[in-house]
Amino acid sequence: MPVSVTALADRVRAASPRLGGTRLVVVDGPAGSGKTTLAGRLGAALGAPVLHGDDLLAGWGDLEGWWSRLADGVLAPLAAGRPGRYRRYDWVERRFAEEHDVPLTGALVVEGCGAGRRAADAVAVLRVWVEAPPDVRLARGLERDGEDMRSEWLAWMAAEAAHFAAEGTRERADVLVDGCASMEP
């Protein structure tokens, strides 16, 4: 059954905020599964900013490290009633670049591999898992990043599989989404 973005947004609005006055939504799943697409549509339906985990990663080997930057720079300030801030990672320059503000808002959507880790459970009002077959995900990634990134993608796919197994991310998700299926408005 297709996912209704409107129904997900209604579910978020009906939840009590757990991060100060903000309702945090985390959209997780393997790379290339469709997280960014779903998060963008959900953010638009909620009138909420979308923060991309890729902007917090310090390169291909940082699957575990980006969460602390999110927690310290964005989640802790929001919980305290203050705007958050993070520095965006520039994948071309391979360094952190400009800072971005995260305003106090009724909802915030965070998407990325590792967004649904156990550390999010206490503050997220909705944990979404998006999945697609590995061959589809790899094809999407190589189309976006280029064939010369194949070894990085394969290493990342192995690292994320280990992360998801250790965290039990899919099993703890509130909603499972087929990243190859159409989404209802």
Side-chain angles (χ1 to χ4, degrees):
M1 185 167 181
V3 169
S4 165
V5 174
T6 301
L8 290 177
D10 289 345
R11 184 172 173 174
V12 172
R13 285 186 200 99
S16 296
R18 295 183 183 173
L19 189 65
T22 300
R23 291 166 184 84
L24 176 66
V25 177
V26 293
V27 180
D28 204 338
S33 62
K35 295 180 303 300
T36 302
T37 300
L38 176 60
R41 292 189 63 191
L42 186 53
L46 290 166
V50 177
L51 198 155
H52 304 283
D54 285 357
D55 288 345
L56 293 166
L57 286 166
W60 286 97
D62 193 37
L63 178 58
E64 301 304 330
W66 75 273
W67 184 264
S68 64
R69 286 185 284 283
L70 174 71
D72 295 345
V74 177
L75 303 182
L78 291 178
R82 298 186 319 271
R85 177 172 269 215
Y86 68 94
R87 189 172 292 280
R88 182 191 63 84
Y89 187 75
D90 184 319
W91 286 81
V92 174
E93 297 294 323
R94 296 185 177 172
R95 63 176 178 78
F96 284 96
E98 76 282 352
E99 289 188 333
H100 289 263
D101 293 325
V102 179
L104 290 172
T105 182
L108 171 65
V109 179
V110 175
E111 69 84 17
C113 294
R117 65 187 68 216
R118 290 188 202 301
D121 288 354
V123 292
V125 300
L126 182 65
R127 296 167 301 183
V128 179
W129 173 265
V130 183
E131 59 190 19
D135 59 325
V136 170
R137 297 185 296 104
L138 180 60
R140 288 174 177 173
L142 295 179
E143 181 179 329
R144 182 189 72 193
D145 297 336
E147 182 62 39
D148 59 325
M149 300 306 290
R150 178 178 290 273
S151 64
E152 296 287 4
W153 264 86
L154 293 174
W156 179 268
M157 290 172 83
E160 71 184 7
H163 169 85
F164 296 140
E167 290 281 333
T169 314
R170 183 183 192 278
E171 296 76 19
R172 292 180 11 271
D174 301 309
V175 177
L176 303 178
V177 175
D178 178 349
C180 294
S182 65
M183 287 182 276
E184 299 291 325

